[in-house]
Short mmCIF file of all heavy atoms in Angstrom, two decimals:
data_model
loop_
_atom_site.label_atom_id
_atom_site.label_comp_id
_atom_site.label_asym_id
_atom_site.label_seq_id
_atom_site.Cartn_x
_atom_site.Cartn_y
_atom_site.Cartn_z
N ASN G 118 -13.88 -113.89 -31.80
CA ASN G 118 -14.31 -115.27 -32.01
C ASN G 118 -15.70 -115.36 -32.64
O ASN G 118 -16.59 -114.62 -32.37
CB ASN G 118 -14.34 -115.96 -30.69
CG ASN G 118 -14.43 -117.47 -30.80
OD1 ASN G 118 -15.39 -117.98 -31.40
ND2 ASN G 118 -13.51 -118.20 -30.11
N GLU G 119 -15.82 -116.30 -33.66
CA GLU G 119 -17.08 -116.50 -34.35
C GLU G 119 -18.23 -116.88 -33.40
O GLU G 119 -19.37 -116.61 -33.72
CB GLU G 119 -16.97 -117.47 -35.46
CG GLU G 119 -15.99 -116.98 -36.64
CD GLU G 119 -16.05 -117.99 -37.80
OE1 GLU G 119 -16.65 -119.02 -37.65
OE2 GLU G 119 -15.34 -117.71 -38.76
N ARG G 120 -17.87 -117.46 -32.27
CA ARG G 120 -18.90 -117.83 -31.28
C ARG G 120 -19.47 -116.61 -30.59
O ARG G 120 -20.53 -116.68 -30.06
CB ARG G 120 -18.36 -118.84 -30.29
CG ARG G 120 -17.99 -120.18 -30.85
CD ARG G 120 -19.18 -121.01 -31.05
NE ARG G 120 -19.87 -121.29 -29.83
CZ ARG G 120 -21.11 -121.79 -29.79
NH1 ARG G 120 -21.80 -121.99 -30.88
NH2 ARG G 120 -21.69 -122.02 -28.63
N ILE G 121 -18.78 -115.53 -30.63
CA ILE G 121 -19.20 -114.30 -29.95
C ILE G 121 -19.81 -113.39 -30.96
O ILE G 121 -19.08 -112.91 -31.86
CB ILE G 121 -18.05 -113.62 -29.23
CG1 ILE G 121 -17.35 -114.62 -28.27
CG2 ILE G 121 -18.54 -112.44 -28.48
CD1 ILE G 121 -18.19 -115.10 -27.16
N ARG G 122 -21.05 -113.11 -30.86
CA ARG G 122 -21.73 -112.23 -31.80
C ARG G 122 -22.25 -111.03 -31.07
O ARG G 122 -22.84 -111.16 -29.93
CB ARG G 122 -22.84 -112.96 -32.48
CG ARG G 122 -22.45 -114.12 -33.41
CD ARG G 122 -23.65 -114.69 -34.04
NE ARG G 122 -24.55 -115.36 -33.11
CZ ARG G 122 -25.81 -115.61 -33.38
NH1 ARG G 122 -26.36 -115.15 -34.42
NH2 ARG G 122 -26.50 -116.24 -32.43
N ARG G 123 -22.07 -109.82 -31.64
CA ARG G 123 -22.68 -108.65 -31.07
C ARG G 123 -24.16 -108.56 -31.49
O ARG G 123 -24.40 -108.64 -32.70
CB ARG G 123 -21.95 -107.45 -31.52
CG ARG G 123 -22.66 -106.13 -31.03
CD ARG G 123 -21.71 -104.97 -31.09
NE ARG G 123 -20.68 -105.16 -30.04
CZ ARG G 123 -19.71 -104.29 -29.79
NH1 ARG G 123 -19.51 -103.23 -30.55
NH2 ARG G 123 -18.83 -104.50 -28.91
N ILE G 124 -25.00 -108.53 -30.54
CA ILE G 124 -26.43 -108.48 -30.82
C ILE G 124 -26.97 -107.17 -30.38
O ILE G 124 -26.85 -106.81 -29.24
CB ILE G 124 -27.16 -109.63 -30.18
CG1 ILE G 124 -26.56 -111.00 -30.56
CG2 ILE G 124 -28.63 -109.57 -30.38
CD1 ILE G 124 -27.07 -112.15 -29.75
N THR G 125 -27.54 -106.40 -31.28
CA THR G 125 -28.17 -105.16 -30.93
C THR G 125 -29.56 -105.42 -30.36
O THR G 125 -30.39 -105.88 -31.02
CB THR G 125 -28.26 -104.27 -32.15
OG1 THR G 125 -26.98 -103.96 -32.71
CG2 THR G 125 -28.95 -102.90 -31.77
N SER G 126 -29.68 -105.20 -29.11
CA SER G 126 -30.95 -105.46 -28.42
C SER G 126 -31.93 -104.49 -28.84
O SER G 126 -31.74 -103.26 -28.88
CB SER G 126 -30.80 -105.50 -26.90
OG SER G 126 -30.44 -104.31 -26.45
N ILE G 127 -33.09 -104.91 -29.15
CA ILE G 127 -34.24 -104.11 -29.56
C ILE G 127 -35.07 -103.91 -28.25
O ILE G 127 -35.55 -104.90 -27.69
CB ILE G 127 -35.13 -104.73 -30.57
CG1 ILE G 127 -34.23 -104.95 -31.89
CG2 ILE G 127 -36.33 -103.84 -30.91
CD1 ILE G 127 -34.97 -105.63 -32.96
N ALA G 128 -35.13 -102.70 -27.79
CA ALA G 128 -35.85 -102.41 -26.53
C ALA G 128 -37.35 -102.58 -26.70
O ALA G 128 -38.00 -101.76 -27.24
CB ALA G 128 -35.50 -101.06 -26.05
N ILE G 129 -37.80 -103.79 -26.30
CA ILE G 129 -39.23 -103.99 -26.32
C ILE G 129 -39.72 -103.84 -24.88
O ILE G 129 -39.62 -104.81 -24.08
CB ILE G 129 -39.55 -105.43 -26.86
CG1 ILE G 129 -38.94 -105.53 -28.26
CG2 ILE G 129 -41.07 -105.59 -26.96
CD1 ILE G 129 -39.08 -106.97 -28.78
N VAL G 130 -40.18 -102.71 -24.60
CA VAL G 130 -40.53 -102.35 -23.24
C VAL G 130 -42.06 -102.17 -23.17
O VAL G 130 -42.65 -101.52 -24.02
CB VAL G 130 -39.81 -101.09 -22.78
CG1 VAL G 130 -40.11 -100.80 -21.28
CG2 VAL G 130 -38.30 -101.32 -22.92
N ALA G 131 -42.57 -102.73 -22.09
CA ALA G 131 -44.05 -102.66 -21.99
C ALA G 131 -44.68 -101.29 -22.10
O ALA G 131 -45.72 -101.14 -22.72
CB ALA G 131 -44.46 -103.30 -20.67
N CYS G 132 -44.01 -100.27 -21.49
CA CYS G 132 -44.58 -98.98 -21.48
C CYS G 132 -44.50 -98.34 -22.85
O CYS G 132 -45.07 -97.25 -23.04
CB CYS G 132 -43.88 -98.08 -20.50
SG CYS G 132 -42.18 -97.82 -20.78
N ALA G 133 -43.88 -98.92 -23.83
CA ALA G 133 -43.87 -98.38 -25.15
C ALA G 133 -45.01 -98.82 -26.03
O ALA G 133 -45.25 -98.34 -27.12
CB ALA G 133 -42.49 -98.68 -25.84
N THR G 134 -45.65 -99.88 -25.61
CA THR G 134 -46.73 -100.48 -26.35
C THR G 134 -48.02 -99.58 -26.29
O THR G 134 -48.40 -99.22 -25.13
CB THR G 134 -46.99 -101.86 -25.91
OG1 THR G 134 -45.78 -102.58 -25.92
CG2 THR G 134 -48.01 -102.56 -26.80
N ALA G 135 -48.63 -99.30 -27.37
CA ALA G 135 -49.78 -98.45 -27.38
C ALA G 135 -51.00 -99.22 -26.89
O ALA G 135 -51.82 -99.76 -27.63
CB ALA G 135 -50.08 -97.89 -28.77
N LEU G 136 -51.17 -99.34 -25.58
CA LEU G 136 -52.28 -99.98 -25.00
C LEU G 136 -53.31 -98.99 -24.51
O LEU G 136 -53.01 -97.76 -24.20
CB LEU G 136 -51.85 -100.81 -23.80
CG LEU G 136 -50.79 -101.91 -24.09
CD1 LEU G 136 -50.34 -102.56 -22.80
CD2 LEU G 136 -51.32 -102.95 -25.03
N SER G 137 -54.48 -99.39 -24.43
CA SER G 137 -55.54 -98.56 -23.84
C SER G 137 -55.32 -98.46 -22.37
O SER G 137 -54.72 -99.26 -21.74
CB SER G 137 -56.91 -99.14 -24.14
OG SER G 137 -57.07 -100.36 -23.47
N ALA G 138 -55.92 -97.43 -21.73
CA ALA G 138 -55.79 -97.28 -20.30
C ALA G 138 -56.34 -98.44 -19.54
O ALA G 138 -55.70 -98.92 -18.56
CB ALA G 138 -56.47 -96.01 -19.86
N SER G 139 -57.37 -99.07 -20.04
CA SER G 139 -57.97 -100.19 -19.32
C SER G 139 -57.05 -101.41 -19.35
O SER G 139 -57.28 -102.37 -18.60
CB SER G 139 -59.32 -100.53 -20.01
OG SER G 139 -59.16 -100.89 -21.32
N ALA G 140 -56.08 -101.46 -20.28
CA ALA G 140 -55.19 -102.57 -20.37
C ALA G 140 -54.00 -102.48 -19.43
O ALA G 140 -53.13 -103.41 -19.46
CB ALA G 140 -54.70 -102.75 -21.84
N GLN G 141 -54.03 -101.47 -18.57
CA GLN G 141 -52.93 -101.29 -17.63
C GLN G 141 -53.08 -102.13 -16.37
O GLN G 141 -52.18 -102.25 -15.57
CB GLN G 141 -52.73 -99.88 -17.28
CG GLN G 141 -52.16 -98.96 -18.31
CD GLN G 141 -50.66 -99.08 -18.39
OE1 GLN G 141 -49.95 -98.79 -17.44
NE2 GLN G 141 -50.21 -99.43 -19.54
N ILE G 142 -54.26 -102.73 -16.16
CA ILE G 142 -54.57 -103.46 -15.00
C ILE G 142 -55.37 -104.77 -15.32
O ILE G 142 -56.26 -104.71 -16.16
CB ILE G 142 -55.39 -102.63 -13.95
CG1 ILE G 142 -54.73 -101.38 -13.57
CG2 ILE G 142 -55.61 -103.46 -12.73
CD1 ILE G 142 -55.53 -100.52 -12.68
N THR G 143 -55.10 -105.80 -14.67
CA THR G 143 -55.92 -106.98 -14.75
C THR G 143 -55.81 -107.69 -13.35
O THR G 143 -54.77 -107.55 -12.68
CB THR G 143 -55.51 -107.99 -15.83
OG1 THR G 143 -56.56 -108.95 -15.96
CG2 THR G 143 -54.22 -108.67 -15.52
N ASP G 144 -56.84 -108.39 -13.00
CA ASP G 144 -56.86 -109.08 -11.70
C ASP G 144 -56.27 -110.51 -11.89
O ASP G 144 -56.68 -111.23 -12.79
CB ASP G 144 -58.28 -109.22 -11.14
CG ASP G 144 -58.80 -107.87 -10.64
OD1 ASP G 144 -57.97 -107.04 -10.18
OD2 ASP G 144 -60.00 -107.65 -10.78
N ARG G 145 -55.29 -110.87 -11.08
CA ARG G 145 -54.73 -112.20 -11.10
C ARG G 145 -55.24 -112.94 -9.85
O ARG G 145 -55.02 -112.52 -8.67
CB ARG G 145 -53.20 -112.08 -10.99
CG ARG G 145 -52.54 -111.35 -12.10
CD ARG G 145 -52.64 -112.05 -13.39
NE ARG G 145 -51.67 -111.42 -14.36
CZ ARG G 145 -51.77 -111.48 -15.70
NH1 ARG G 145 -52.77 -112.25 -16.19
NH2 ARG G 145 -50.89 -110.90 -16.51
N PRO G 146 -55.94 -114.04 -10.03
CA PRO G 146 -56.44 -114.80 -8.87
C PRO G 146 -55.24 -115.38 -8.10
O PRO G 146 -54.26 -115.91 -8.66
CB PRO G 146 -57.28 -115.93 -9.49
CG PRO G 146 -56.75 -116.02 -10.97
CD PRO G 146 -56.35 -114.65 -11.29
N ARG G 147 -55.33 -115.35 -6.78
CA ARG G 147 -54.31 -115.93 -5.87
C ARG G 147 -54.64 -117.35 -5.59
O ARG G 147 -55.86 -117.69 -5.41
CB ARG G 147 -54.19 -115.13 -4.61
CG ARG G 147 -53.32 -113.91 -4.63
CD ARG G 147 -53.36 -112.91 -5.69
NE ARG G 147 -52.71 -111.65 -5.35
CZ ARG G 147 -52.60 -110.65 -6.14
NH1 ARG G 147 -53.12 -110.69 -7.40
NH2 ARG G 147 -51.97 -109.56 -5.74
N PRO G 148 -53.62 -118.21 -5.50
CA PRO G 148 -53.87 -119.62 -5.08
C PRO G 148 -54.48 -119.66 -3.69
O PRO G 148 -54.16 -118.85 -2.80
CB PRO G 148 -52.46 -120.27 -5.04
CG PRO G 148 -51.66 -119.40 -5.96
CD PRO G 148 -52.20 -117.97 -5.84
N ALA G 149 -55.38 -120.57 -3.47
CA ALA G 149 -56.11 -120.72 -2.20
C ALA G 149 -55.10 -120.91 -1.03
O ALA G 149 -55.37 -120.45 0.07
CB ALA G 149 -57.09 -121.82 -2.26
N GLU G 150 -53.96 -121.62 -1.27
CA GLU G 150 -53.05 -121.86 -0.17
C GLU G 150 -52.42 -120.63 0.38
O GLU G 150 -52.00 -120.59 1.49
CB GLU G 150 -51.95 -122.82 -0.68
CG GLU G 150 -51.01 -122.25 -1.73
CD GLU G 150 -49.77 -123.09 -1.97
OE1 GLU G 150 -49.53 -124.00 -1.16
OE2 GLU G 150 -49.09 -122.86 -2.98
N TRP G 151 -52.40 -119.57 -0.41
CA TRP G 151 -51.78 -118.27 0.12
C TRP G 151 -52.60 -117.76 1.27
O TRP G 151 -52.04 -116.98 2.09
CB TRP G 151 -51.75 -117.24 -1.04
CG TRP G 151 -50.72 -117.54 -2.09
CD1 TRP G 151 -50.06 -118.70 -2.29
CD2 TRP G 151 -50.22 -116.63 -3.09
NE1 TRP G 151 -49.17 -118.56 -3.35
CE2 TRP G 151 -49.25 -117.35 -3.85
CE3 TRP G 151 -50.50 -115.31 -3.36
CZ2 TRP G 151 -48.61 -116.75 -4.91
CZ3 TRP G 151 -49.79 -114.69 -4.44
CH2 TRP G 151 -48.92 -115.42 -5.21
N ASP G 152 -53.87 -118.10 1.36
CA ASP G 152 -54.69 -117.61 2.49
C ASP G 152 -54.19 -118.15 3.82
O ASP G 152 -54.54 -117.66 4.86
CB ASP G 152 -56.16 -117.95 2.28
CG ASP G 152 -56.76 -117.22 1.10
OD1 ASP G 152 -56.25 -116.13 0.77
OD2 ASP G 152 -57.73 -117.74 0.55
N LYS G 153 -53.39 -119.29 3.77
CA LYS G 153 -52.93 -119.97 4.94
C LYS G 153 -51.57 -119.56 5.42
O LYS G 153 -51.12 -120.01 6.43
CB LYS G 153 -52.91 -121.45 4.73
CG LYS G 153 -54.33 -122.00 4.38
CD LYS G 153 -54.25 -123.57 4.08
CE LYS G 153 -55.61 -124.06 3.67
NZ LYS G 153 -55.55 -125.53 3.31
N LEU G 154 -50.96 -118.61 4.69
CA LEU G 154 -49.65 -118.12 5.02
C LEU G 154 -49.73 -117.26 6.37
O LEU G 154 -50.72 -116.48 6.51
CB LEU G 154 -49.04 -117.27 3.93
CG LEU G 154 -48.69 -118.00 2.66
CD1 LEU G 154 -48.51 -117.01 1.46
CD2 LEU G 154 -47.37 -118.75 2.89
N ILE G 155 -48.79 -117.45 7.20
CA ILE G 155 -48.78 -116.69 8.45
C ILE G 155 -48.19 -115.30 8.27
O ILE G 155 -47.45 -115.03 7.27
CB ILE G 155 -47.99 -117.46 9.58
CG1 ILE G 155 -46.57 -117.51 9.17
CG2 ILE G 155 -48.62 -118.81 9.79
CD1 ILE G 155 -45.61 -118.06 10.28
N PRO G 156 -48.46 -114.34 9.16
CA PRO G 156 -47.82 -113.05 9.11
C PRO G 156 -46.24 -113.25 9.05
O PRO G 156 -45.70 -113.91 9.94
CB PRO G 156 -48.21 -112.33 10.34
CG PRO G 156 -49.56 -112.93 10.71
CD PRO G 156 -49.43 -114.40 10.25
N GLY G 157 -45.63 -112.67 8.10
CA GLY G 157 -44.17 -112.85 7.91
C GLY G 157 -43.88 -113.93 6.89
O GLY G 157 -42.71 -114.10 6.49
N GLY G 158 -44.87 -114.66 6.38
CA GLY G 158 -44.66 -115.69 5.48
C GLY G 158 -44.61 -115.28 4.00
O GLY G 158 -44.26 -116.07 3.15
N LYS G 159 -44.95 -113.98 3.76
CA LYS G 159 -44.78 -113.47 2.41
C LYS G 159 -43.60 -112.45 2.35
O LYS G 159 -43.37 -111.78 3.35
CB LYS G 159 -46.07 -112.72 1.99
CG LYS G 159 -47.34 -113.56 2.08
CD LYS G 159 -48.57 -112.65 1.74
CE LYS G 159 -49.83 -113.41 1.90
NZ LYS G 159 -50.99 -112.46 1.57
N TYR G 160 -42.98 -112.36 1.21
CA TYR G 160 -41.90 -111.37 1.10
C TYR G 160 -42.42 -109.97 1.36
O TYR G 160 -41.73 -109.13 1.94
CB TYR G 160 -41.24 -111.44 -0.31
CG TYR G 160 -39.88 -110.77 -0.32
CD1 TYR G 160 -38.74 -111.53 -0.07
CD2 TYR G 160 -39.74 -109.42 -0.52
CE1 TYR G 160 -37.46 -110.85 0.05
CE2 TYR G 160 -38.51 -108.81 -0.51
CZ TYR G 160 -37.37 -109.50 -0.19
OH TYR G 160 -36.16 -108.94 -0.17
N VAL G 161 -43.64 -109.74 0.93
CA VAL G 161 -44.25 -108.35 1.07
C VAL G 161 -44.26 -107.95 2.55
O VAL G 161 -44.30 -106.77 2.86
CB VAL G 161 -45.63 -108.26 0.44
CG1 VAL G 161 -46.64 -109.10 1.20
CG2 VAL G 161 -46.10 -106.82 0.26
N ASP G 162 -44.29 -108.89 3.47
CA ASP G 162 -44.30 -108.63 4.90
C ASP G 162 -43.02 -107.99 5.39
O ASP G 162 -42.98 -107.53 6.53
CB ASP G 162 -44.64 -109.86 5.71
CG ASP G 162 -45.98 -110.47 5.41
OD1 ASP G 162 -46.90 -109.67 4.99
OD2 ASP G 162 -46.23 -111.69 5.55
N ARG G 163 -42.00 -108.02 4.61
CA ARG G 163 -40.64 -107.50 5.01
C ARG G 163 -40.65 -105.96 4.92
O ARG G 163 -39.79 -105.34 5.54
CB ARG G 163 -39.58 -108.02 4.14
CG ARG G 163 -39.38 -109.55 4.25
CD ARG G 163 -38.31 -110.02 3.34
NE ARG G 163 -38.19 -111.52 3.40
CZ ARG G 163 -36.98 -112.05 3.53
NH1 ARG G 163 -35.85 -111.32 3.53
NH2 ARG G 163 -36.90 -113.35 3.55
N PHE G 164 -41.57 -105.31 4.18
CA PHE G 164 -41.55 -103.88 4.03
C PHE G 164 -41.94 -103.17 5.30
O PHE G 164 -42.94 -103.44 5.90
CB PHE G 164 -42.43 -103.45 2.84
CG PHE G 164 -41.89 -103.86 1.52
CD1 PHE G 164 -42.35 -105.05 0.89
CD2 PHE G 164 -40.98 -103.04 0.84
CE1 PHE G 164 -41.83 -105.40 -0.33
CE2 PHE G 164 -40.55 -103.40 -0.42
CZ PHE G 164 -40.93 -104.61 -1.00
N GLU G 165 -41.05 -102.19 5.64
CA GLU G 165 -41.33 -101.39 6.85
C GLU G 165 -41.85 -100.01 6.51
O GLU G 165 -41.90 -99.63 5.28
CB GLU G 165 -40.11 -101.35 7.72
CG GLU G 165 -39.66 -102.74 8.24
CD GLU G 165 -38.56 -102.63 9.32
OE1 GLU G 165 -37.58 -101.96 9.07
OE2 GLU G 165 -38.75 -103.26 10.33
#
């Protein structure tokens, strides 16, 4: 069907990009309301 087209996906993956080592990390500020979450209120609290 003409509506169905095969698209060859071009793998654009972050680890393939020639970045400097310093570009591997950046700090993301957390919303102030996250400080009010109770223990168990974050998904990360599920890890045992």
Side-chain angles (χ1 to χ4, degrees):
N118 191 305
E119 292 184 358
R120 293 283 297 166
I121 306 297
R122 296 183 292 160
R123 173 162 292 177
I124 301 170
T125 301
S126 63
I127 300 174
I129 305 173
V130 183
C132 61
T134 307
L136 301 175
S137 67
S139 62
Q141 287 278 301
I142 304 175
T143 191
D144 290 326
R145 302 290 193 201
R147 276 45 167 181
E150 66 169 346
W151 289 14
D152 294 334
K153 301 177 182 179
L154 291 163
I155 63 171
K159 305 176 184 179
Y160 198 91
V161 71
D162 296 334
R163 298 176 180 229
F164 288 95
E165 297 191 309

